[in-house]
């Protein structure tokens, strides 16, 4: 084979006449010519005739022509019936191959040809039906993975003997309910993962007893399960990951959540700390567990120091952690990067600690006569005045950082109302957001904000948001805030009927 001839066959400037001469010399240059973009249909047909009349050395030319846009439908039909498998395989995916030829290829003796056909961009319905019932699992697998796979074909393959095919059908949501009882655990996992809580309601009892740990774990997650009775069973599962999923689920009954707060698994404890609907009694027990297990620092498993720190931090940040528990956890000093600014935004901190946080944090930044006098007055008052009066003085202080006391539930409600109604505070957006999260904020203020569609995101972080306010948010337009409010109402309704109110 002449290297110069091959190079000339590739060269864009080579004339059509010269290309015809090169293609007639040997299969090497002919294959290159047959691959060129812009090859005229007449020349492609000439090449096909020559290649079809020649031996196996020219099969590469036929493959190139079977993939070329210039090859005619008539010639593609001939190539689709060629004795060489590789030629038929390429012809099977060409857009212009005629339907009769495609139907014949669907019965081709070569599974590789049928698989190539199953993966083509456009597939006639009758041809697809033939391939969906193909004896080769690889062909059927290619069929279900098609972007344009038809629902009726997918449903027909829902009970396929090959688990790989059933997994794809389950992932695409065309298995009916057979995927929930499939013998393959991965199919069942996919089935649970694809469904929402309402779709799984009738199956939860069975799923909670599934032999596969991951299926039970998925069945315990909030998106899939809002049934307290089943969650109570999953909360007692022998596997920590399943118990952790139940601990993170807001619909798990409070008695079981509180029991899980003493779980030996750190993952379960972390899950409770991140459950936004964990009630005060659960969090109080969680702090007791942290104190007993990690309080001296020696009970922390090697390599899990950061996990314990994150657990402590999450409980310190949780809006429902009781004041006494916050005091006890803070005293342990498990979180070395504790920031008093975060405490100022959390509603439940004991007043004396909150005042101390505020004064300590801003002491170095106080400037000007007015701020210095305010700081000194509050510093003196913390030793002599009632906590509510000290917090009120902080809210009225010219020192911005001290005004963050508006987020603490021990601040008198009338002081919070005064702050909200003061026109001078209209620009204090972050402080007004803190008021929205405060359980002590008067309901009429919260309701007015809810009806006006403002500060809803922050109000939903209020651990004791009055139900009329929650209902007003839930009745709004279909936003994420409205959906969150409806979810909170659902949790509260369940708890009101089966256990202590939220």
């Amino acid at each position: 084979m002449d290297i110069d001839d091959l190079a000339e066959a590739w060269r864009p400037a080579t004339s059509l006449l010269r290309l015809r001469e090169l293609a007639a010399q040997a299969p090497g240059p002919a294959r290159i010519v047959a691959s060129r973009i812009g090859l005229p249909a007449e020349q492609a047909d000439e090449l096909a005739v020559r290649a079809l009349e020649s031996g196996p050395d020219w099969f590469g030319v036929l493959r190139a022509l079977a993939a070329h846009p210039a090859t005619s439908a008539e010639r593609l039909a001939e190539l689709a019936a060629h004795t060489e498998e590789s030629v038929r395989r390429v012809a099977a995916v060409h857009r212009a191959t005629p339907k009769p030829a495609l139907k014949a290829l669907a019965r081709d003796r070569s599974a590789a040809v049928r698989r190539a056909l199953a993966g083509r961009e456009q597939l006639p319905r009758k041809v697809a039906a033939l391939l969906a019932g193909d004896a080769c699992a690889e062909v059927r697998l290619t069929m279900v993975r098609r972007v344009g796979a038809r629902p009726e074909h997918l449903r027909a393959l829902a009970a396929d003997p090959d688990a790989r095919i059933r997994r794809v059908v389950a992932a695409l949501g065309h298995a009916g309910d057979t995927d929930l009882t499939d013998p393959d655990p991965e199919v069942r996992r996919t089935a649970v993962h694809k469904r929402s809580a309402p779709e799984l309601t009738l199956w939860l009892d069975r799923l909670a007893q599934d032999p596969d740990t991951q299926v039970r774990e998925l069945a315990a997650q909030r998106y899939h399960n809002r049934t307290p009775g089943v969650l109570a069973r999953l909360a007692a599962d022998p596997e920590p990951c399943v118990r952790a999923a139940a601990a993170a689920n807001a619909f798990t009954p409070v008695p079981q959540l509180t029991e899980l707060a003493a779980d030996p698994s750190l993952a379960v404890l972390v899950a409770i700390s991140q459950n936004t609907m964990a009630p005060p009694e659960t969090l109080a027990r969680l702090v007791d567990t942290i104190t007993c297990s990690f309080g001296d620092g020696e009970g922390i498993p090697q390599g899990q120091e950061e996990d314990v720190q994150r657990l402590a931090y999450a409980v310190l940040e949780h809006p429902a952690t009781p004041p006494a528990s916050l005091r006890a956890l803070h005293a342990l000093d498990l979180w070395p990067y504790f920031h008093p600014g975060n405490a100022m935004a959390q509603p439940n901190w004991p007043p004396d600690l909150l005042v101390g946080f505020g004064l300590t944090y801003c002491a170095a930044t106080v400037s000007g006569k007015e701020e210095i006098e305010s700081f000194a007055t509050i510093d003196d008052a913390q030793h002599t005045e009632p906590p509510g009066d000290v917090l009120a003085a902080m809210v009225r202080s010219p020192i911005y950082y001290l005004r963050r006391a508006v987020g603490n539930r021990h601040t008198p409600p009338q002081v919070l109302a005064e702050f909200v109604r003061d026109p001078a505070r209209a620009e204090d957006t972050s402080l007004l957001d803190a008021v929205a999260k405060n359980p002590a904020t008067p309901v009429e203020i919260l309701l007015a904000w809810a009806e006006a569609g403002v500060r809803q995101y922050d109000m939903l972080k209020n651990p004791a948001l009055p139900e009329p306010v929650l209902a007003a948010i839930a009745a709004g337009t279909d936003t994420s805030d409205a959906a969150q409010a409806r979810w909170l109402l659902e949790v509260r309704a369940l708890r009101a009927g089966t256990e202590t109110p939220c």
Side-chain angles (χ1 to χ4, degrees), residues 367-457:
S367 63
K369 179 181 178 181
E370 191 178 3
E371 286 192 359
I372 292 173
E373 289 178 352
S374 173
F375 184 92
T377 299
I378 294 169
D379 191 21
D380 291 339
Q382 69 173 319
H383 305 294
T384 59
E385 302 298 326
D389 291 348
V390 181
L391 293 174
M394 291 172 68
V395 171
R396 299 183 179 113
S397 173
I399 303 171
Y400 175 85
Y401 192 80
L402 295 183
R403 294 202 298 272
R404 296 187 72 181
V406 293
N408 190 273
R409 73 189 308 157
H410 301 95
T411 300
Q414 64 271 23
V415 175
L416 297 174
E418 172 192 308
F419 183 90
V420 171
R421 291 167 182 148
D422 184 352
R425 305 303 181 197
E427 300 302 319
D428 283 343
T429 304
S430 63
L431 295 183
L432 292 172
D433 291 343
V435 174
K437 293 183 279 189
N438 192 337
T441 300
V443 64
E444 60 270 19
I445 292 175
L446 297 172
L447 192 56
W449 281 339
E451 292 173 346
V454 298
R455 296 194 172 80
Q456 294 185 354
Y457 176 80

Side-chain angles (χ1 to χ4, degrees), residues 235 240-250 252-290 307 310-322 495:
C241 64
V242 178
R243 300 197 304 275
N249 194 324
T252 298
V254 169
Q256 279 70 39
L257 276 180
T258 306
E259 185 175 345
L260 287 171
D263 198 275
S265 168
L266 182 57
V268 174
L269 303 182
V270 170
I272 290 177
S273 74
Q274 295 171 349
N275 187 332
T276 57
M277 291 298 289
E281 59 265 39
T282 298
L283 294 163
R285 188 172 190 190
L286 180 57
V287 171
D288 290 342
T289 301
I290 294 172
D307 293 331
R310 281 193 289 269
L311 168 63
Y313 183 68
V315 180
L316 288 172
E317 288 283 288
H318 200 291
T321 303
R495 288 188 176 178

Side-chain angles (χ1 to χ4, degrees), residues 73 174 196 227 234 282-283 363 442 455 466 481:
H174 289 281
S196 63
T227 305
L234 290 165
T282 298
L283 294 163
R455 296 194 172 80
D481 291 336

Side-chain angles (χ1 to χ4, degrees), residues 46-342:
E46 287 178 12
L47 264 173
V49 171
R50 180 176 179 81
L52 285 167
E53 293 175 349
S54 303
D57 290 345
W58 287 76
F59 286 170
V61 178
L62 293 176
R63 287 192 295 271
L65 290 170
H68 202 288
T71 304
S72 67
E74 293 77 13
R75 194 62 67 187
L76 284 166
E78 194 172 354
L79 294 173
H82 197 273
T83 55
E84 169 58 25
E85 176 197 278
S86 62
V87 175
R88 301 196 306 276
R89 189 168 65 242
V90 179
V93 299
H94 198 293
R95 288 187 177 187
T97 300
K99 287 184 179 181
L102 295 179
K103 193 171 183 180
L105 287 168
R107 297 186 175 91
D108 196 277
R109 62 184 179 276
S110 168
V113 171
R114 303 196 304 275
R115 186 178 181 186
L117 179 64
R120 64 177 279 126
E121 185 177 350
Q122 296 178 343
L123 196 60
R125 184 182 295 271
K126 291 183 179 179
V127 176
L130 287 171
L131 295 172
D134 198 277
C136 177
E138 297 300 327
V139 175
R140 302 195 304 277
L141 184 60
T142 303
M143 277 295 300
V144 297
R145 287 174 172 169
R146 287 178 54 80
V147 173
R150 292 182 173 85
E152 65 268 25
H153 298 150
L154 292 170
R155 287 192 292 270
L157 291 167
D160 195 276
D162 192 301
R164 298 173 302 166
I165 295 171
R166 301 198 306 276
R167 290 168 197 164
V168 177
V169 175
L172 294 173
H174 289 281
D177 285 332
T178 60
D179 49 359
L180 289 165
T181 58
D182 195 278
D184 180 65
E186 191 170 333
V187 173
R188 300 197 303 277
R189 293 172 205 157
T190 302
V192 177
H193 185 73
K194 285 288 294 184
R195 287 168 169 80
S196 63
E199 293 172 312
L200 286 173
T201 300
L202 298 176
W203 293 91
L204 288 174
D205 278 326
R206 178 172 184 149
L207 294 171
Q209 302 172 64
D210 195 281
D212 184 72
T213 299
Q214 290 187 43
V215 170
R216 301 198 307 277
E217 182 182 3
L218 286 168
Q221 293 174 355
R222 189 187 94 189
Y223 180 78
H224 306 299
N225 192 339
R226 296 187 176 183
T227 305
V230 178
L231 285 166
R233 185 183 310 128
L234 290 165
D237 195 275
E239 293 295 332
C241 64
V242 178
R243 300 197 304 275
N249 194 324
F251 291 88
T252 298
V254 169
Q256 279 70 39
L257 276 180
T258 306
E259 185 175 345
L260 287 171
D263 198 275
S265 168
L266 182 57
V268 174
L269 303 182
V270 170
I272 290 177
S273 74
Q274 295 171 349
N275 187 332
T276 57
M277 291 298 289
E281 59 265 39
T282 298
L283 294 163
R285 188 172 190 190
L286 180 57
V287 171
D288 290 342
T289 301
I290 294 172
T291 302
C292 295
S293 301
F294 314 119
D296 57 4
E298 295 181 1
I300 301 176
Q302 188 175 4
Q304 294 187 331
E305 292 82 3
E306 290 188 4
D307 293 331
V308 173
Q309 290 175 356
R310 281 193 289 269
L311 168 63
Y313 183 68
V315 180
L316 288 172
E317 288 283 288
H318 200 291
T321 303
S325 298
L326 287 172
R327 187 187 299 278
L329 187 56
H330 180 253
L332 295 178
D333 197 25
L334 286 173
W335 181 254
Y337 311 112
F338 172 74
H339 195 293
N342 294 334

